[in-house]
Amino acid sequence: MSASPLAPVAQARTILQLNTAYHQAKVLHTAVELGLFELLASGPATVEEVKKGLGIAHPLAQEFLDALAALGLLEAVGDRFANSGAATAFLVPGSPSYLGGSVLQHARKHYRVWGELTTALREGRAESGAEAHGPEAYPKHYADPDKARQAMAHFDTFSSFTADELARRVDWRPYTSFVDIGGARGQLASRIALAHPHLSGAVFDLPPLEPLFDELAAARGVADRLRFYGGDFLADPLPEADVVVTGHVLPDWPDAQRRELLRRIHGALRPGGALMIYDLMADPESESVHDVLQRLNHGLIRGDSSSCTLAECHASVEEAGFEVTRTEQLDNLLGDWLIVATKR
């Protein structure tokens, strides 16, 4: 039997690039951790000015900045570096579409969790993710204001784009009220309220988040139309509303608790009310590499729970007393699926 031909160098190079893909992630993580994009928001700077401004001592500062320029996050202007358009829009603190909160969460938490992927697969659970995620961990995590703010900055990154999608895609005219179950500090709720001034809304989440909600609602000018309810959504009464929105919540829980939460939501909705669920859901006919890796990431972070298929979610929603009226994929950061159902 003859030996198999050697793989073309292009195939080998592709595998090598995949093997070192984390280089790009860590360059981005470090730039945000150091505050580079914030520094350059005031204007271009030389390597020496960057080193002095950020307290960088390593002689590889030039190569570090060159790498960011090669990735399209910086632009070289003579002997100076400036933020690219993308960095200005998404990586400068204070930007309406700031992604830095999520970058920091990945740098501090997710990167470490993925570093234990082999152990997690062998032992059956991702122990390193338990510190900050999972249904049992949230109350303890949110009790620390600094950790709560870090988590909220991460969640806000995704909620912003999702809120804009829901505000645009859904006809909110028949409704006057909504509640976001597991809505954190109200990023999604406040953006929907701003887009549709006739709506009043509420967020239901753990009590320690109420001060952060109050702060955000006041800053957005919607405190008169949004209210926070603190409690356990599997035990405490849910507020009545025309619409219930919930996203990235159901997969945190085993199947029995998911079904119970759907039943409780059904009871809280007014007659003819609508349920809107957005989350990562498996759809073999349309999944991309990005979709599959995001589901793997969420499974690692969430611990024992995981995402479900569209068909499984449809079945659970219908079992709870809803009729599914709409299913589509959102143009948000994760490519979440949106399921809209009406109360029977």
Side-chain angles (χ1 to χ4, degrees):
M1 184 176 179
S2 61
S4 300
L6 294 175
V9 66
Q11 293 180 351
R13 190 181 296 118
T14 297
I15 293 174
L16 179 61
Q17 291 171 345
L18 177 62
N19 183 51
T20 58
Y22 66 92
H23 293 180
Q24 300 181 40
K26 287 310 296 179
V27 166
L28 171 60
H29 294 172
T30 297
V32 174
E33 288 179 307
L34 289 173
L36 173 63
F37 303 110
E38 185 175 11
L39 174 72
L40 294 180
S42 60
T46 65
V47 175
E48 289 304 316
E49 289 169 342
V50 169
K51 290 174 66 175
K52 181 178 179 181
L54 300 181
I56 295 175
H58 204 290
L60 285 175
Q62 176 75 53
E63 286 76 6
F64 173 64
L65 297 176
D66 287 340
L68 288 163
L71 290 170
L73 297 176
L74 296 182
E75 295 176 352
V77 184
D79 65 342
R80 295 173 179 270
F81 287 89
N83 286 334
S84 68
T88 298
F90 299 112
L91 295 172
V92 175
S95 164
S97 301
Y98 183 57
L99 300 180
S102 180
V103 173
L104 290 173
Q105 189 76 352
H106 278 267
R108 295 164 177 164
K109 304 293 182 184
H110 293 216
Y111 191 79
R112 179 163 53 86
V113 173
W114 275 83
E116 297 297 325
L117 177 59
T118 304
T119 301
L121 291 174
R122 282 177 173 163
E123 298 183 359
R125 58 183 295 121
E127 293 290 350
S128 57
E131 174 189 342
H133 297 281
E136 295 81 10
Y138 284 126
K140 181 179 178 180
H141 192 66
Y142 291 163
D144 182 325
D146 290 336
K147 288 185 177 180
R149 284 188 181 278
Q150 291 173 13
M152 294 304 101
H154 173 57
F155 295 156
D156 285 355
T157 296
F158 301 95
S159 296
S160 298
F161 291 89
T162 302
D164 294 346
E165 276 284 273
L166 294 182
R168 178 178 66 84
R169 288 177 182 253
V170 175
D171 182 4
W172 291 89
R173 289 174 297 178
Y175 312 113
T176 61
S177 64
F178 71 95
V179 58
D180 186 0
I181 303 296
R185 66 173 169 184
Q187 174 79 341
L188 182 141
S190 64
R191 292 178 80 99
I192 289 177
L194 286 171
H196 298 281
H198 73 286
L199 290 173
S200 61
V203 167
F204 191 103
D205 214 312
L206 294 170
L209 296 181
E210 185 168 5
L212 301 184
F213 167 87
D214 291 340
E215 179 182 276
L216 183 66
R220 296 277 168 81
V222 292
D224 60 329
R225 290 193 288 127
L226 291 184
R227 180 178 175 184
F228 186 88
Y229 292 84
D232 178 347
F233 50 57
L234 288 173
D236 298 319
L238 301 180
E240 185 181 80
D242 296 331
V243 176
V244 168
V245 179
T246 188
H248 295 258
V249 169
L250 292 172
D252 280 351
W253 302 89
D255 187 61
Q257 282 90 339
R258 296 184 200 183
R259 293 172 184 270
E260 173 60 21
L261 179 54
L262 287 171
R263 287 192 291 268
R264 291 171 60 80
I265 290 172
H266 185 274
L269 274 171
R270 294 177 182 135
L275 166 64
M276 301 177 193
I277 300 172
Y278 65 89
D279 214 311
L280 291 166
M281 295 178 237
D283 177 39
E285 295 184 3
S286 66
E287 276 196 322
S288 65
V289 171
H290 169 81
D291 296 333
V292 176
L293 289 175
Q294 285 297 334
R295 288 198 293 109
L296 177 57
N297 178 63
H298 279 233
L300 281 171
I301 299 302
R302 286 162 164 167
D304 293 336
S305 302
S306 63
S307 58
C308 60
T309 66
L310 279 171
E312 289 169 340
C313 192
H314 281 170
S316 296
V317 166
E318 290 168 353
E319 180 190 72
F322 294 94
E323 179 182 355
V324 176
T325 59
R326 185 172 172 182
T327 303
E328 60 189 271
Q329 195 162 22
L330 296 174
D331 185 21
N332 65 358
L333 292 181
L334 297 178
D336 288 327
W337 282 91
L338 169 68
I339 293 177
V340 180
T342 56
K343 179 176 180 176
R344 289 202 296 259

